[in-house]
């Protein structure tokens, strides 16, 4: 699942819950399960079906099974929580499913496979949805926090996608012209981008841990 990227989604969901006046631990655990099964398991499996960008050797059939299983589990969890807590939670299901399918499966000719959709789906929805599950309400505070997680997610997306065409062009040209130094520079640039991405993921995780300590530790 391209670790440590899943830490970002878990951190965003945690931040949303910690902003609530009262944190229901059982609801937060359900949030983790739904975020993991949908934004991690399902989304990465569907994404890997499009040319195996993560370079795994998992057969496509298994990716489809895992992807749909994760999405169905998250749907079932959402319906269960809506029936147990408040039917208004059902309103979160359509946009969440749409983002996963439209972005990762590149539906509608890939029109929604872009930075804004990614940042809203992987940054905004976990933060807002987690807070809403705790309070069945929204507030200015969580809206501002969601704006922050959206911008943070957009930075990660831009870092990993903006330079990809240029890096691939350099790789193709260097391969054709048999220039090992250019290939080495391309690999070094790719490793540098991924290193910065990991640093960003760990930074938001540490911030979330610090916020948790502020809320609950003496």
């Amino acid at each position: 699942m391209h670790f440590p990227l899943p830490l970002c989604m878990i951190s965003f969901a945690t931040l949303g819950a910690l902003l609530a006046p009262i944190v229901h631990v059982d609801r937060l655990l359900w949030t983790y399960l739904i975020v993991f099964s949908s934004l991690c398991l399902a989304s990465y499996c569907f994404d890997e079906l499009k040319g195996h960008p993560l370079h795994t050797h998992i057969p496509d059939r298994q990716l489809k099974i895992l992807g749909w299983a994760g999405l169905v589990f998250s749907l079932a969890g959402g319906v269960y929580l809506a029936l147990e807590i408040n039917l208004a939670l059902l309103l979160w299901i359509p946009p969440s499913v749409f983002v996963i399918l439209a972005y990762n499966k590149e539906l509608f000719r890939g029109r929604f496979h872009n930075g804004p959709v990614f940042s809203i789906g992987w940054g905004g929805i976990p933060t807002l949805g987690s807070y809403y599950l705790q309070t069945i309400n929204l507030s200015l505070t969580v809206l501002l926090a969601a704006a922050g997680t959206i911008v943070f997610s957009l930075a990660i997306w831009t870092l990993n996608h903006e330079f990809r065409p240029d890096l691939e062009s350099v790789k193709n040209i260097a391969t054709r012209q048999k220039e090992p130094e250019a290939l080495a520079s391309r690999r070094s640039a790719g490793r540098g981008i991924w290193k910065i991405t990991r640093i960003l993921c760990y930074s938001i995780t540490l911030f979330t841990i610090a916020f948790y300590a502020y809320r609950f530790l003496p």
Side-chain angles (χ1 to χ4, degrees), residues 126-197:
T127 307
L128 294 172
S130 182
Y131 180 90
Y132 193 85
L133 179 57
Q134 296 289 331
T135 63
I136 312 301
N137 198 0
L138 293 177
S139 68
L140 177 60
T141 301
V142 76
L143 291 175
L144 292 173
T149 57
I150 288 172
V151 172
F152 189 93
S153 301
L154 184 59
I156 289 181
W157 191 93
T158 302
L159 184 63
N160 285 273
H161 290 79
E162 191 74 18
F163 307 106
R164 183 178 294 176
D166 293 334
L167 291 176
E168 289 302 315
S169 297
V170 171
K171 178 182 178 182
N172 294 333
I173 294 173
T175 301
R176 288 197 304 268
Q177 298 182 358
K178 297 181 180 180
E179 296 182 3
E181 292 183 359
L183 281 174
S185 297
R186 186 267 177 193
R187 286 193 294 268
S188 177
R191 286 193 297 268
I193 290 172
W194 180 235
K195 183 178 180 180
I196 296 173
T197 302

Side-chain angles (χ1 to χ4, degrees), residues 59-206:
D60 286 355
R61 182 173 180 272
Q62 293 183 19
L63 288 171
K64 291 178 182 178
I65 292 173
L66 288 171
W68 285 110
L71 189 59
V72 169
F73 177 85
S74 64
L75 283 173
V79 172
Y80 169 77
L81 291 172
L83 294 175
E84 288 291 318
I85 301 172
N86 193 306
L87 291 178
L89 291 169
L90 292 174
L91 296 175
W92 291 88
I93 294 178
S96 301
V97 173
F98 176 81
V99 165
I100 292 173
L101 295 180
Y103 180 87
N104 293 106
K105 295 183 75 66
E106 299 183 25
L107 302 180
F108 309 102
R109 299 181 179 179
R111 183 174 299 175
F112 296 95
H113 190 81
N114 54 52
V117 173
F118 173 86
S119 56
I120 292 172
W122 276 257
I125 290 180
T127 307
L128 294 172
S130 182
Y131 180 90
Y132 193 85
L133 179 57
Q134 296 289 331
T135 63
I136 312 301
N137 198 0
L138 293 177
S139 68
L140 177 60
T141 301
V142 76
L143 291 175
L144 292 173
T149 57
I150 288 172
V151 172
F152 189 93
S153 301
L154 184 59
I156 289 181
W157 191 93
T158 302
L159 184 63
N160 285 273
H161 290 79
E162 191 74 18
F163 307 106
R164 183 178 294 176
D166 293 334
L167 291 176
E168 289 302 315
S169 297
V170 171
K171 178 182 178 182
N172 294 333
I173 294 173
T175 301
R176 288 197 304 268
Q177 298 182 358
K178 297 181 180 180
E179 296 182 3
E181 292 183 359
L183 281 174
S185 297
R186 186 267 177 193
R187 286 193 294 268
S188 177
R191 286 193 297 268
I193 290 172
W194 180 235
K195 183 178 180 180
I196 296 173
T197 302
R198 293 200 308 270
I199 292 172
L200 290 173
C201 291
Y202 290 130
S203 69
I204 193 66
T205 302
L206 291 172

